Amino acid sequence: MSASERIGEQAGSRAAVALWAAAVLFLAVGVAKLALYADFTADSGAGCRSEQNPGFTAACEQFAPVAWYGPYWLAVAGSIVFALLFAAAAVLADRGRRPVRFAMAATLLAIALAVVPGVFDLDWRFAVAAASEADAWVAEYVRDGVPSWYGPVETALLVLAAVAALLGAEWLRRSPARQ
């Protein structure tokens, strides 16, 4: 085996490891959100029934709670979908293929649709912006119930996942074609 073939094989192996890391990190974000779901729904119900809510008699009676449940489930689904995409890219890279376009597309989509919204807390901003006054109050009540450690941990996981995905895609791009 020549030196360039060994280097190419090492780059492919590193790429697969980085893509697996991205998959695991995205899965960890999704699992963390699922683990907090019981608290999320309990806080939602308590916020709907709270007499401190400015419109508590009308809060949560209509379809409006989708304003805070929708972004929550979209974030869970997105994390799991991106974990699956990166796992698929890692499997292809492990098998000696070069799924460069697939990995780059998954990386760019993950950064645009999961990492940026997660880091800048856009799910909660949209939940509050899309809700009525009473439901916005409930969304804020739910937000206050999120453990203080969760935001920094989620941000760290998302940033690490993005870095791993970028490294994996770049290492795939630099690895020579293998048969």
Side-chain angles (χ1 to χ4, degrees):
M1 178 180 284
S2 73
S4 65
E5 288 174 334
R6 278 195 311 272
I7 291 170
E9 191 171 303
Q10 289 173 348
S13 298
R14 285 187 306 189
V17 169
L19 293 170
W20 276 117
V24 168
L25 290 166
F26 274 110
L27 186 60
V29 170
V31 167
K33 282 196 178 293
L34 286 174
L36 292 176
Y37 185 70
D39 293 336
F40 177 80
T41 56
D43 288 341
S44 174
C48 287
R49 291 184 300 277
S50 174
E51 292 185 18
Q52 295 174 342
N53 188 335
F56 79 98
T57 56
C60 307
E61 291 179 358
Q62 307 225 346
F63 195 61
V66 79
W68 61 89
Y69 278 99
Y72 190 91
W73 282 108
L74 189 61
V76 170
S79 295
I80 292 170
V81 165
F82 288 122
L84 292 173
L85 287 174
F86 287 116
V91 166
L92 290 172
D94 276 340
R95 291 186 178 169
R97 300 233 168 74
R98 290 185 58 220
V100 178
R101 288 185 187 146
F102 180 76
M104 283 303 271
T107 299
L108 293 175
L109 283 172
I111 289 171
L113 299 177
V115 176
V116 170
V119 167
F120 291 104
D121 216 14
L122 296 181
D123 52 351
W124 288 104
R125 293 175 198 262
F126 289 140
V128 172
S132 66
E133 180 184 356
D135 290 335
W137 189 91
V138 175
E140 288 294 336
Y141 185 89
V142 170
R143 172 69 169 169
D144 291 341
V146 174
S148 61
W149 58 265
Y150 180 75
V153 168
E154 180 186 37
T155 299
L157 289 173
L158 288 171
V159 169
L160 288 172
V163 169
L166 285 169
L167 285 174
E170 179 60 20
W171 286 332
L172 271 179
R173 189 184 69 77
R174 289 183 179 209
S175 68
R178 293 178 281 164
Q179 298 298 333

